[in-house]
Amino acid sequence: MSKKKRLDEHNADEDSLLLERIFAGDERAFNQMYYQTNRNIFNAVMSYVKNEHIAIELVQQVYVKFWNNRHKLKDVRSLKDYLFIIARNLTLDHFKKVTLETNFFAEFILRENNPVNTTDEKIEQIEYDRLLKDAIAQLPPQQKEAWLLINEEELSYAETAVKMNISRLTVKRHLELSRKSVREYLKSQIYIVLTLPLFIIIYLAF
């Protein structure tokens, strides 16, 4: 028997023991498995997403899912293959979500000049107005005020700065933060409104 074959069999036996211990809820075995495998999983995910922060987050999700589904490990024959399948599926889910979010925030560009005529479209507009109102309501006071003064009252940065008694730079920062927060809130609602045509107010395009 070749040295490589003996090594492969040894690794397979070690993996089987780790899987058995993790199946039984052994956290030390899980930690050992994590430190032995996370670099390869990170490299695999990174080769697709090309973003270190996203890759780190996805790898964390891989091991959380692995641990939460440890009751299924009795049927696992290859630890390596099982981890890569989880990583692959989560990476695909990530790209689907990114595509969905991109469409969610881009669709209004195609629809913004279309009149709202039908009853269904009017209902949809009411729903989006409600979501936007909810998103604005959860903003911190100064971010909310900056948003409303600029987007609702249509004041300039200079006028807003005078009214709020802050600098124009601070106004700009409040507006950037408020838009980010509104964007994140609307992202969190995407799956609630998937059946509606996707168009969002023009403020978020700036």
Side-chain angles (χ1 to χ4, degrees), residues 12-30 33 66-67 70-77 79:
D13 290 341
E14 185 177 337
D15 287 350
S16 294
L17 289 174
L18 277 176
L19 287 170
E20 288 178 13
R21 290 168 59 193
I22 296 169
F23 175 80
D26 188 334
E27 293 185 13
R28 291 180 64 184
F30 174 79
M33 180 274 297
F66 183 97
W67 177 254
R70 61 188 180 279
H71 59 282
K72 299 179 181 179
L73 293 179
K74 268 192 172 180
D75 299 324
V76 174
R77 295 292 173 263
L79 172 61

Side-chain angles (χ1 to χ4, degrees), residues 47-76:
S47 68
Y48 288 100
V49 300
K50 312 297 184 184
N51 182 297
E52 184 175 355
H53 296 295
I54 293 173
I56 289 172
E57 182 178 342
L58 286 171
V59 170
Q60 289 174 341
Q61 292 177 29
V62 168
Y63 288 96
V64 168
K65 187 167 187 177
F66 183 97
W67 177 254
N68 289 340
N69 291 315
R70 61 188 180 279
H71 59 282
K72 299 179 181 179
L73 293 179
K74 268 192 172 180
D75 299 324
V76 174

Side-chain angles (χ1 to χ4, degrees), residues 66-104:
F66 183 97
W67 177 254
N68 289 340
N69 291 315
R70 61 188 180 279
H71 59 282
K72 299 179 181 179
L73 293 179
K74 268 192 172 180
D75 299 324
V76 174
R77 295 292 173 263
S78 168
L79 172 61
K80 178 182 177 181
D81 290 347
Y82 185 61
L83 283 170
F84 275 101
I85 288 170
I86 296 175
R88 180 199 65 193
N89 292 341
L90 287 173
T91 302
L92 289 174
D93 287 345
H94 163 75
F95 283 120
K96 289 176 184 176
K97 183 178 179 183
V98 168
T99 300
L100 184 60
E101 290 174 354
T102 300
N103 291 339
F104 187 73

Side-chain angles (χ1 to χ4, degrees), residues 144-198:
K144 181 179 179 181
E145 185 176 2
W147 174 286
L148 293 174
L149 288 174
I150 290 175
N151 292 321
E152 304 266 334
E153 298 187 26
E154 299 183 350
L155 298 185
S156 67
Y157 277 33
E159 292 168 331
T160 301
V162 170
K163 193 154 187 175
M164 294 182 66
N165 195 28
I166 57 179
S167 69
R168 289 180 60 180
L169 184 62
T170 304
V171 169
K172 183 175 183 293
R173 181 59 176 160
H174 282 321
L175 196 62
E176 288 173 349
L177 291 172
S178 66
R179 283 174 175 160
K180 179 180 179 182
S181 182
V182 168
R183 202 174 280 120
E184 291 301 319
Y185 180 87
L186 292 175
K187 280 184 183 181
S188 72
Q189 304 301 308
I190 287 176
Y191 296 99
I192 296 175
V193 295
L194 273 180
T195 57
L196 303 177
L198 303 177

Side-chain angles (χ1 to χ4, degrees), residues 93-152:
D93 287 345
H94 163 75
F95 283 120
K96 289 176 184 176
K97 183 178 179 183
V98 168
T99 300
L100 184 60
E101 290 174 354
T102 300
N103 291 339
F104 187 73
F105 290 108
E107 184 73 14
F108 80 92
I109 297 174
L110 302 176
R111 300 178 60 95
E112 61 178 297
N113 294 320
N114 293 341
V116 177
N117 294 321
T118 69
T119 300
D120 285 346
E121 287 175 335
K122 289 176 182 177
I123 292 172
E124 290 154 7
Q125 183 65 57
I126 291 170
E127 177 63 14
Y128 277 105
D129 288 345
R130 181 190 66 78
L131 286 175
L132 178 62
K133 184 177 179 180
D134 290 345
I136 295 171
Q138 51 86 41
L139 293 172
Q142 286 199 305
Q143 290 180 31
K144 181 179 179 181
E145 185 176 2
W147 174 286
L148 293 174
L149 288 174
I150 290 175
N151 292 321
E152 304 266 334

Side-chain angles (χ1 to χ4, degrees), residues 37-49:
T37 60
N38 78 88
R39 174 49 59 180
N40 286 338
I41 297 299
F42 173 83
N43 289 339
V45 173
M46 186 68 177
S47 68
Y48 288 100
V49 300

